[in-house]
Amino acid sequence: MTRFVARSLFLIGAVAAGCTPQNGTVEPPITGTAGSGSVVISGAGGMCGGGFASGGAKEVFPGTAFPPGFGSPTTPQVGATHTATEAPPAISGGTLRIMADGNTAVAADPDRDQVYVVDLAKRALTFTVALQHGDEPGRLVIDAAGRAHVALRRGGALVTIAPTTGAIVERRNVCAAPRGVAYDKTSDLVHVACADGQLVSLPAAGGAATRTLQLDSDLRDVIVDGANLRVTRFRSAELLTVDATGKITARVTSPAFKSVNTRGGQTFTASVAWRAMEMPTGGVVMVHQRGLLDEVQPSQGGYSGFSTCDAIVQTAVTVVAPGQEPKTGPAMAGMVVPADMAISADGNRVAIIAAGNATNSETEGGAPRLPRVFVTDMSSATDQVIGCTSDGMHGPCLPAPGFVGPGPQAAGAPAPNGDVAPADAGTAPAPTVPNTCGTSTDPGSSADPSVPEVVGQPIAVAFAANSAVVVQSREPAVLSVPGGQPIQLSTVSRSDTGHDLFHANAGAGVACASCHAEGTEDGRTWTFACEGTRRTQSLQVGLKGTEPFHWGGDEKDFSQLVTDVFVGRMSGPMLAMDQIDATLGWLDAQPRRTHTQPTDTAAIARGKALFNDATRTACATCHSGPSLTNNQSVDVGTGGVFQVPSLVGIGTRGPYMHDGCAPTLRDRFGSCGGGDKHGVTSTLQPAQIDDLVTFLNTL
């Protein structure tokens, strides 16, 4: 217990030796009392360096309880290390739909390449539809004729299934990486949004595409909103409006957010739009992450904080209603990896899952300590005033006290979510009072017969008949439904320790997947104290053999990175070597995102020649080998010595450079690219740069 407390502390505003605060003052040590003992933490060790573990001491008396405002030790429990024969894909969510009858569920299974049809009323699996190996079925939609259309994320196709017979009606190739899918009953068209920017429209009844648009890259969900289509971009959480002619007529981003109750009023901006859906009254609702815009202190526990409201990545809901400014809500504290959400038929209730909280329990397979599904009213989810403190009537969706709670509290004192501690609360909060802003599925939350006890790791959620909440889990493959045992979808296990640890809430409100969504990256540029601006790096490049890690090359190997980041900055538990190896193995086994290849073979050939020209650009001098990096740290005129990044999949990873200064690959050859220290490119003509960019997009 004591060891974990020491790892979990994040000193907001405190400064350690070796780093000067922005206001030039030196903050005193933070002290506090907890139960029968005291916690004293001085600054040595550095908010910028090795943190408490390497710096100095600071005293945590044995037997102390957590001081006020500190989170509880909800560390992930993953059991004995096990590696799947074939690595399961990263979680993407959104794989469940309920048909118009309110009782037939259609669920896609990206781990097992299957689609299930389930009779909820009979609590029985009706059909299992086998797809091709590696298809990775994702989003799906039901059309007016009752057909299910499923986007195959790696299969590059749209498959149409008849739920009444379990038969595959048609399989149509659409693009390299289908993501979102929507049905327009007015035109009887199915629209598919693709990661490489294509928006493809196809007749629901079958046949070839009627229109293909080329929009911005990194498309995610598509929503029919009257005569327009609304399309989200995954990493930026930007919402595009496309009119009937195919023109982008508007771009909307969720407004910045700050609250005195969230990291002391620091600013957060939107990113990673996990799921967007249509509102019954028109408009779009999106569940997304928010990342800290202000400076991050990358020390021990620096990605988390004194409470669940202080993590540098948080979950939020934004509604974009017709003719109105976007309305974003408070931090959904503790909801880690919000892979999916559902909206009730009347638009008044929202259900959100937290895939990252599946492993947080006292013991392996024990009772959950953090909510995995949370249901609340829409006004609570989008209330702009309350920040991260409940007003007793509205959210935010904080876990009930006792999960990641406030620590000791006096009897009768209000908890952060508006509850009141019972008289016998003692030194640990007792979760006996219902949560005021919604319903979680964990012990101590309010009883709601429409919300099931969730089994396993949730990946999708939907509302069925009578507003009952249905939750799909990937491992085990089940549907959790109210009022009974879960419905088994498959007996095939896809359990994998690396997958579990990558998605797990490390213990203080963040997971690896929070910044590296779907195993890639979040598109963000972070500002770290004493380091500067750093662009999140992709993990889908083949990490093993590219050591050292981080832009500064300061992490000599993956084991050190886990210790410094997962354990130190994220307040996670120490991992055994086999767990570290399993995580690295899972990451390197992830398939790289497919994208449409350039078709101008002559331009590709010219660009390749320039890339390999040792007397001019000399790109291949540093960007060589299977991961297209020589693993060296080099000064290329961009403001310091930085590790040579991999160029694998570079065309899908903008913005570029260590500080994200280049929005596009072409911009990399502009003013922020380092000039001729970064390859002699000043003599290249615009057409030659175009050729070089074309070649880079093939990597």
Side-chain angles (χ1 to χ4, degrees):
M1 177 74 75
T2 300
R3 175 176 62 86
F4 187 83
V5 172
R7 286 207 310 271
S8 299
L9 308 186
F10 171 48
L11 314 186
I12 301 175
V15 179
C19 188
T20 303
Q22 290 182 340
N23 61 6
T25 62
V26 176
E27 300 292 337
I30 288 182
T31 63
T33 59
S36 59
S38 300
V39 176
V40 181
I41 305 167
S42 66
M47 295 306 290
C48 311
F52 307 123
S54 63
K58 317 331 120 189
E59 191 174 358
V60 180
F61 289 101
T64 59
F66 289 90
F70 281 49
S72 358
T74 49
T75 54
Q77 302 285 341
V78 296
T81 299
H82 48 286
T83 301
T85 304
E86 182 177 357
I91 291 175
S92 58
T95 51
L96 177 65
R97 286 277 186 170
I98 308 297
M99 296 185 64
D101 61 10
N103 285 312
T104 303
V106 182
D109 187 342
D111 290 85
R112 300 165 185 82
D113 294 319
Q114 297 180 149
V115 176
Y116 310 107
V117 181
V118 178
D119 188 324
L120 298 176
K122 296 180 179 179
R123 310 180 75 88
L125 175 64
T126 306
F127 298 108
T128 296
V129 184
L131 303 175
Q132 296 178 17
H133 179 73
D135 269 345
E136 195 180 326
R139 302 280 203 264
L140 67 147
V141 71
I142 310 297
D143 69 19
R147 295 173 292 242
H149 304 273
V150 186
L152 307 181
R153 290 170 56 87
R154 277 201 287 151
L158 182 75
V159 65
T160 302
I161 296 169
T164 54
T165 63
I168 295 177
V169 176
E170 187 175 17
R171 181 187 178 110
R172 290 174 278 184
N173 293 331
V174 286
C175 58
R179 292 295 184 261
V181 59
Y183 172 67
D184 186 345
K185 63 182 180 181
T186 301
S187 61
D188 200 31
L189 290 174
V190 176
H191 304 285
V192 181
C194 305
D196 58 9
Q198 294 184 73
L199 182 60
V200 184
S201 302
L202 308 99
T210 60
R211 184 180 72 175
T212 298
L213 302 175
Q214 184 62 51
L215 308 179
D216 301 45
S217 64
D218 204 28
L219 301 186
R220 181 67 165 189
D221 280 307
V222 55
I223 298 101
V224 177
D225 188 16
N228 297 322
L229 295 178
R230 306 281 198 126
V231 189
T232 59
R233 300 181 68 199
F234 183 44
R235 292 174 300 170
S236 66
E238 183 181 31
L239 179 66
L240 311 179
T241 299
V242 181
D243 68 12
T245 68
K247 180 182 178 181
I248 297 176
T249 58
R251 296 174 180 269
V252 176
T253 56
S254 180
F257 177 87
K258 60 182 178 179
S259 165
V260 294
N261 302 300
T262 307
R263 292 185 73 95
Q266 290 186 307
T267 300
F268 286 76
T269 55
S271 58
V272 188
W274 282 101
R275 185 70 157 127
M277 304 186 75
E278 65 279 6
M279 286 289 288
T281 55
V284 175
V285 60
M286 178 196 311
V287 63
H288 59 88
Q289 293 179 178
R290 282 199 294 245
L292 182 64
L293 183 65
D294 292 322
E295 187 176 79
V296 178
Q297 303 281 357
S299 70
Q300 201 79 354
Y303 289 177
S304 50
F306 285 120
S307 78
T308 51
C309 290
D310 290 327
I312 65 170
V313 177
Q314 302 182 349
T315 294
V317 171
T318 294
V319 171
V320 182
Q324 299 180 21
E325 292 296 314
K327 181 180 179 182
T328 192
M332 301 288 184
M335 300 299 288
V336 179
V337 189
D340 196 23
M341 83 177 157
I343 308 299
S344 62
D346 59 9
N348 291 329
R349 300 175 78 206
V350 56
I352 302 169
I353 61 166
N357 290 346
T359 57
N360 294 93
S361 59
E362 288 290 344
T363 59
E364 181 193 358
R369 296 212 45 199
L370 297 172
R372 287 174 287 178
V373 59
F374 204 98
V375 183
T376 188
D377 61 279
M378 187 60 72
S379 62
S380 295
T382 57
D383 192 301
Q384 297 172 293
V385 177
I386 59 177
C388 204
T389 300
S390 175
D391 62 1
M393 295 182 296
H394 301 89
C397 296
L398 284 168
F403 301 115
V404 184
Q409 61 190 67
N417 68 345
D419 294 337
V420 176
D424 59 349
T427 59
T432 58
V433 182
N435 192 317
T436 58
C437 80
T439 302
S440 77
T441 59
D442 298 290
S445 64
S446 59
D448 185 336
S450 71
V451 182
E453 293 289 336
V454 176
V455 174
Q457 186 178 49
I459 58 172
V461 61
F463 281 98
N466 302 319
S467 294
V469 176
V470 180
V471 180
Q472 179 188 359
S473 297
R474 62 163 295 275
E475 182 62 35
V478 298
L479 286 186
S480 295
V481 293
Q485 293 297 310
I487 302 168
Q488 188 173 72
L489 303 177
S490 172
T491 59
V492 176
S493 174
R494 296 290 280 135
S495 181
D496 185 279
T497 296
H499 184 285
D500 290 345
L501 287 169
F502 178 80
H503 293 92
N505 179 343
V510 286
C512 301
S514 297
C515 293
H516 298 281
E518 295 189 352
T520 56
E521 40 82 20
D522 57 7
R524 294 191 69 90
T525 300
W526 302 85
T527 301
F528 293 108
C530 302
E531 291 184 31
T533 307
R534 297 291 183 268
R535 171 75 166 86
T536 306
Q537 292 182 302
S538 175
L539 302 183
Q540 285 195 347
V541 297
L543 293 177
K544 191 172 184 179
T546 65
E547 302 85 351
F549 300 119
H550 280 186
W551 283 105
D554 50 296
E555 304 292 342
K556 67 177 182 179
D557 54 31
F558 194 71
S559 179
Q560 180 179 321
L561 186 148
V562 168
T563 300
D564 289 349
V565 179
F566 184 80
V567 178
R569 301 183 183 189
M570 297 166 60
S571 298
M574 293 294 295
L575 300 183
M577 200 62 225
D578 60 346
Q579 293 175 316
I580 294 173
D581 290 341
T583 305
L584 178 59
W586 177 81
L587 283 168
D588 281 357
Q590 288 302 290
R592 293 163 183 166
R593 197 189 89 181
T594 54
H595 62 281
T596 301
Q597 293 287 311
T599 57
D600 190 340
T601 56
I604 294 171
R606 293 192 299 268
K608 183 177 182 179
L610 285 169
F611 184 88
N612 291 298
D613 189 340
T615 64
R616 301 181 70 186
T617 61
C619 303
T621 302
C622 294
H623 296 288
S624 58
S627 293
L628 297 174
T629 173
N630 63 0
N631 310 326
Q632 301 297 308
S633 292
V634 182
D635 182 354
V636 293
T638 56
V641 176
F642 300 106
Q643 190 74 3
V644 175
S646 169
L647 297 187
V648 172
I650 192 66
T652 64
R653 297 189 351 231
Y656 302 98
M657 311 305 293
H658 75 278
D659 57 359
C661 66
T664 68
L665 274 176
R666 210 177 196 290
D667 294 323
R668 171 263 174 265
F669 299 99
S671 58
C672 80
D676 285 349
K677 289 187 69 176
H678 195 181
V680 181
T681 59
S682 63
T683 60
L684 297 181
Q685 299 299 311
Q688 292 176 303
I689 294 177
D690 288 341
D691 290 341
L692 194 51
V693 169
T694 299
F695 170 69
L696 290 172
N697 276 310
T698 69
L699 300 177

